[in-house]
Amino acid sequence: QVHLVESGGGLVKPGGSLRLSCAASGFTFSDYFMSWIRQAPGKGLEWISYISSDGDTISYAASVKGRFTISRDNAKNSLYLQMNNLRAEDTAVYYCGGYYWGQGTLVAVSS
Amino acid sequence: DLVVTQTPLSLSVTPGQSASISCKSSASLLHSDGRTYLYWYVVKPGQSPQLLIYELSKRFTGVPDRFSGSGSGTDFTLKISRVEAEDVGVYYCMQSIKLPPTFGPGTKVDIK
């Protein structure tokens, strides 16, 4: 059974940083691409970052490029998202996954 | 970035009836490998996104056969046959032929 658990969200001031983690189980993590998507309050889904199974191919949405960094540790079955220089508009629930998605972790950026 | 649009943006359906959602992309989603990189997701109230259809018309694990995807090139349709109360939610199409993947704006489906 596929299980994805995000963690690391919270309240942060504008300009601050957070590191999200995603623990995967129930499938061969190293065989699959992974992504982060987010949903701001009252808004639609926004894809924000992608990483290939081996980590060689990475892509970011324009809205986060240069501020967010995606990475993975296949030995630990884990996906990460380092978020720097956070803005109010980054406030959202962040989900990790690809075909299946986790329950999400809330990031709130406010002074 | 490749733009994806959806119509309608909201839909009210009588239980037992069918519903269709249209999705259009600004470029063809047909890859040279023969696959069409168009996906359908639903976000039900209080839940995480769920994949319904991948690569145009393939139902994901556990998805009822009431859901079907069709189309080609730049025009696509999600059809929900015999709508049930549990189908309430916001439906999104997404393209992944070109990075970054992009979602449509979503179609809110509710029950009359």
Side-chain angles (χ1 to χ4, degrees):
Chain A
Q1 182 180 354
V2 173
H3 205 43
L4 296 161
V5 180
E6 301 93 341
S7 61
L11 177 63
V12 62
K13 289 182 168 54
S17 298
L18 281 176
R19 189 192 194 211
L20 304 185
S21 298
C22 171
S25 60
F27 65 105
T28 306
F29 181 75
S30 58
D31 284 350
Y32 290 91
F33 71 90
M34 294 292 291
S35 291
W36 288 96
I37 64 175
R38 66 185 181 185
Q39 186 167 29
K43 302 293 185 181
L45 296 177
E46 180 187 13
W47 176 91
I48 57 173
S49 189
Y50 161 99
I51 186 167
S52 59
S53 57
D54 58 7
D56 282 352
T57 300
I58 286 175
S59 183
Y60 298 98
S63 57
V64 306
K65 195 169 187 178
R67 300 188 298 124
F68 290 12
T69 302
I70 191 171
S71 62
R72 65 190 296 160
D73 185 335
N74 285 342
K76 294 183 178 179
N77 290 341
S78 293
L79 178 72
Y80 307 100
L81 187 68
Q82 178 66 43
M83 303 187 297
N84 297 330
N85 191 20
L86 283 160
R87 305 166 179 167
E89 54 266 35
D90 295 318
T91 294
V93 176
Y94 286 71
Y95 300 96
C96 72
Y99 293 109
Y100 292 96
W101 298 91
Q103 86 291 346
T105 187
L106 176 62
V107 172
V109 185
S110 174
S111 55
Chain B
D1 296 355
L2 205 153
V3 176
V4 178
T5 59
Q6 288 179 234
T7 54
L9 297 183
S10 67
L11 193 54
S12 188
V13 188
T14 301
Q17 297 299 304
S18 294
S20 290
I21 300 169
S22 174
C23 173
K24 296 182 187 296
S25 61
S26 59
S28 176
L29 302 187
L30 175 61
H31 195 276
S32 56
D33 63 10
R35 299 177 184 181
T36 299
Y37 287 88
L38 187 281
Y39 299 74
W40 290 97
Y41 289 86
V42 63
V43 181
K44 296 182 178 181
Q47 297 186 23
S48 304
Q50 299 172 28
L51 178 63
L52 296 171
I53 302 288
Y54 65 101
E55 294 175 11
L56 179 65
S57 59
K58 301 172 185 176
R59 271 187 300 277
F60 191 56
T61 304
V63 175
D65 60 7
R66 300 185 294 103
F67 292 87
S68 61
S70 63
S72 63
T74 61
D75 294 304
F76 311 99
T77 301
L78 176 71
K79 183 177 180 181
I80 312 171
S81 302
R82 305 180 304 280
V83 168
E84 300 180 3
E86 66 178 27
D87 298 333
V88 167
V90 182
Y91 291 75
Y92 298 88
C93 57
M94 187 199 81
Q95 68 79 24
S96 68
I97 195 170
K98 183 178 178 183
L99 294 178
T102 43
F103 287 99
T107 296
K108 185 175 183 179
V109 173
D110 64 30
I111 302 298
K112 287 183 181 175

